[in-house]
């Protein structure tokens, strides 16, 4: 259960939108407490997949009960009129992220269909290496920027200044790393993987250049969400998911 929860935290950091907070640490601790007696007693009586699911359910149930005990709330039926704005916001953000997943993986489907499995493997490796600097650096920034943008959502000059400064910082960090990898792509592939992976050199160079420019637009979706322009984010994402694969 501990490994499962840790992997979920890592996945939240990798997508650029995920925010890992104290709730993950609490869930890990609760999961550990729920799993410790079973480990001490020896092999579990239930199959391993069931034990993993049960550990996650016990962790979330324990956290919910603890919150209700520490801060009591009256039970009430939901009121659709009061929830309409929140549900609309959540729906637009959810659709935009689903669309992002579709169009961000469309190139892999196209490469696999047109180029075959071997070249798809080379392209996938090139994408992973080229995206690594951008994803690792931007993940550290995007964990804290949503709260900062939300605080300044009504102060347009301050919001514009913060976006500019953060974007410049990201570019200064990611662009040299991406350009450097593009320059030494030949030597890197042959030394790290061998000459049989020479097919990955050209896509690695092209994708490194693209990854360096991608850091410029990393924070724009968060700005649109902070400004309550999530409808445009949803529409743009759905249009991109429909057009880009074609």
């Amino acid at each position: 259960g501990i490994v499962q929860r840790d992997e979920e935290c890592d996945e939240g950091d990798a997508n650029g939108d995920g925010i890992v907070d104290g709730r993950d640490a609490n869930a890990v601790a609760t999961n550990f407490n729920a799993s410790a007696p079973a480990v001490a007693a020896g092999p579990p009586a239930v199959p391993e997949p069931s034990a993993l699911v049960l550990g996650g359910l016990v962790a979330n149930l324990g956290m919910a009960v603890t919150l209700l005990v520490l801060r009591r709330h009256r039970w009430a039926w939901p009121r659709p009129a009061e929830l309409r704005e929140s549900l609309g916001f959540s729906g637009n953000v959810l659709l935009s992220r689903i669309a992002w997943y579709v169009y961000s993986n469309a190139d892999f489907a196209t490469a696999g269909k047109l180029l075959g499995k071997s070249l798809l493997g080379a392209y996938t490796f090139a994408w992973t290496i080229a995206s690594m600097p951008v994803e690792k650096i931007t993940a550290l920034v995007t964990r804290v920027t949503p709260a900062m943008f939300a605080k300044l959502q009504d102060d347009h000059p301050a919001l514009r200044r913060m976006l500019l400064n953060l974007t410049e910082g990201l570019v200064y960090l990611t662009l040299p790393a991406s350009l450097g990898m593009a320059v030494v792509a030949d030597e890197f592939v042959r030394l790290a993987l061998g000459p049989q992976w020479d097919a990955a050199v050209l896509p690695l160079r092209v994708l490194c250049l693209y990854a360096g420019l991608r850091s410029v637009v990393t924070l724009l979706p968060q700005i649109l969400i902070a400004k309550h322009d999530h409808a445009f984010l949803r529409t743009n994402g759905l249009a991109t998911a429909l057009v880009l694969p074609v």
Side-chain angles (χ1 to χ4, degrees), residues 109 150 176 241-242:
L242 292 174

Side-chain angles (χ1 to χ4, degrees), residues 1 11 17 24 51 66 69 81 105 117 132 153 158 182 194 217 244 246:
E11 290 175 0
D17 293 326
D24 295 295
T66 303
V69 170
N105 289 278
K117 294 182 178 180
M132 192 175 299
Q153 59 182 328
V217 298
L244 191 59
V246 179

Side-chain angles (χ1 to χ4, degrees), residues 42-99:
V46 293
E48 184 178 355
S50 301
L52 293 175
V53 174
L54 182 61
L57 291 176
V58 171
N60 287 280
L61 179 61
M63 184 173 58
V65 171
T66 303
L67 291 175
L68 288 175
V69 170
L70 295 177
R71 187 175 181 88
R72 295 181 178 274
H73 290 276
R74 293 184 304 168
W75 296 99
W77 290 103
R79 300 176 180 177
E82 297 179 357
L83 296 175
R84 187 175 294 112
E85 183 179 356
S86 298
L87 291 176
F89 171 81
S90 301
N92 288 334
V93 173
L94 178 61
L95 287 176
S96 66
R97 292 185 178 178
I98 293 175

Side-chain angles (χ1 to χ4, degrees), residues 1-12 24 28 31:
I2 299 172
V3 175
Q4 180 192 21
R5 194 63 194 176
D6 188 50
E7 289 177 353
E8 291 175 2
C9 296
D10 291 339
E11 290 175 0
D24 295 295
V28 172
N31 207 357

Side-chain angles (χ1 to χ4, degrees), residues 4-213:
Q4 180 192 21
R5 194 63 194 176
D6 188 50
E7 289 177 353
E8 291 175 2
C9 296
D10 291 339
E11 290 175 0
D13 288 340
N15 51 30
D17 293 326
I19 300 176
V20 180
D21 52 20
R23 291 173 296 177
D24 295 295
N26 294 334
V28 172
T30 307
N31 207 357
F32 175 78
N33 293 330
S35 304
V39 174
V46 293
E48 184 178 355
S50 301
L52 293 175
V53 174
L54 182 61
L57 291 176
V58 171
N60 287 280
L61 179 61
M63 184 173 58
V65 171
T66 303
L67 291 175
L68 288 175
V69 170
L70 295 177
R71 187 175 181 88
R72 295 181 178 274
H73 290 276
R74 293 184 304 168
W75 296 99
W77 290 103
R79 300 176 180 177
E82 297 179 357
L83 296 175
R84 187 175 294 112
E85 183 179 356
S86 298
L87 291 176
F89 171 81
S90 301
N92 288 334
V93 173
L94 178 61
L95 287 176
S96 66
R97 292 185 178 178
I98 293 175
W100 169 84
Y101 179 83
V102 172
Y103 68 71
S104 63
N105 289 278
D107 53 343
F108 296 104
T110 304
K113 184 177 181 180
L114 298 179
L115 303 178
K117 294 182 178 180
S118 59
L119 292 179
L120 174 61
Y123 180 83
T124 303
F125 168 78
W127 172 263
T128 302
I129 298 300
S131 302
M132 192 175 299
V134 175
E135 291 180 353
K136 295 300 181 182
I137 294 174
T138 56
L140 299 175
V141 178
T142 54
R143 290 173 62 182
V144 297
T145 47
M148 299 166 62
F149 292 152
K151 184 178 180 180
L152 299 174
Q153 59 182 328
D154 296 325
D155 190 349
H156 291 182
L159 187 63
R160 189 181 302 111
R161 185 168 56 253
M162 177 172 289
L163 175 62
L164 178 61
N165 292 337
L166 289 174
T167 302
E168 286 181 350
L170 288 175
V171 171
Y172 287 149
L173 292 175
T174 58
L175 191 59
S178 299
L179 293 179
M181 179 59 70
V183 172
V184 301
D186 236 346
E187 292 78 6
F188 175 80
V189 170
R190 290 177 182 174
L191 290 176
L193 300 174
Q196 67 271 20
W197 283 87
D198 283 348
V201 173
L202 180 58
L204 178 58
R205 283 178 173 162
V206 175
L207 291 173
C208 281
L209 298 176
Y210 165 71
L213 298 176

Side-chain angles (χ1 to χ4, degrees), residues 205-246:
R205 283 178 173 162
V206 175
L207 291 173
C208 281
L209 298 176
Y210 165 71
L213 298 176
R214 190 169 58 134
S215 61
V216 177
V217 298
T218 302
L219 300 175
L220 294 182
Q222 293 186 353
I223 290 288
L224 292 175
I225 292 175
K227 295 297 299 178
H228 298 283
D229 202 0
H230 41 83
F232 171 79
L233 191 63
R234 175 209 60 202
T235 304
N236 181 69
L238 292 176
T240 306
L242 292 174
V243 174
L244 191 59
V246 179

